[in-house]
Amino acid sequence: AQKITQTQPGMFVQEKEAVTLDCTYDTSDPSYGLFWYKQPSSGEMIFLIYQGSYDQQNATEGRYSLNFQKARKSANLVISASQLGDSAMYFCAMRATNFGNEKLTFGTGTRLTIIP
Amino acid sequence: DVKVTQSSRYLVKRTGEKVFLECVQDMDHENMFWYRQDPGLGLRLIYFSYDVKMKEKGDIPEGYSVSREKKERFSLILESASTNQTSMYLCASSLTGHPKGYTFGSGTRLTVV
């Protein structure tokens, strides 16, 4: 079974500061993928970033980077130079990449509020 | 722009009613999913489907059923709605193995009174 833990229910961060959202995971699968999604107040889920368990480098997408520490089973999302539009719920998720499995397991989310 | 469309944004139903939540995707994705989202619980998988007429139970299937008669459409059915099914329902689709995971619909906020 897979489990995602997000221990920060809410965070308040000053605009332009960097933000780290924590995510730890547990799985017995040797191959897996880790995802981060953003959910603004409008409700839609927006894909942010993906990290494969065998990727040698940490994933980056613009202001988003994923701090992947495999031995610690952590996949923290780092947002550089936060903006007011970053205020949203953020979900960490994972998927075992064995054949035939496409299910994502989600964490409970972190509500990020950017303060002007 | 590729899309997953959920038929209703907000829905209010009475206890005991049969409720249909519709989801349509235009991306020719094989895989479709229904999640419910509740505060403090994140997203929990109700049912999923990897092919037409195929369905599998997720983590919380009790009180729900699904139908997938066509590749692009995946319907969630609440056979007899109850107040504990008041929630946000999210539909998603995916292409097998695609690194970006899912494409989500905008969600249906269902209130059962």
Side-chain angles (χ1 to χ4, degrees), chain A residues 35 37 39 42 100 102 104, chain B residues 9 35 37 50 97-99 102:
Chain A
F35 301 78
Y37 286 85
Q39 186 183 43
S42 55
E102 291 294 317
L104 279 178
Chain B
R9 188 79 176 93
Y35 285 84
Q37 180 182 356
Y50 290 162
H98 197 282
Y102 294 174

Side-chain angles (χ1 to χ4, degrees), chain A residues 6-80:
Chain A
Q6 294 181 254
T7 56
Q8 306 154 308
M11 286 185 71
F12 290 85
V13 172
Q14 206 74 39
E15 189 181 7
K16 298 180 185 174
E17 288 186 355
V19 181
T20 298
L21 304 181
D22 295 339
C23 173
T24 57
Y25 61 91
D26 191 23
T27 182
S28 56
D29 296 295
S31 177
Y32 49 90
L34 295 154
F35 301 78
W36 277 93
Y37 286 85
K38 173 184 178 181
Q39 186 183 43
S41 56
S42 55
E44 83 268 30
M45 296 281 280
I46 302 166
F47 167 80
L48 294 178
I49 198 165
Y50 168 82
Q51 178 85 43
S53 59
Y54 290 114
D55 293 344
Q56 294 298 313
Q57 293 190 320
N58 286 344
T60 61
E61 292 277 354
R63 292 187 302 113
Y64 304 108
S65 61
L66 201 152
N67 183 2
F68 180 47
Q69 298 189 38
K70 196 170 183 178
R72 291 181 149 190
K73 293 190 174 179
S74 76
N76 298 340
L77 177 71
V78 180
I79 306 173
S80 63

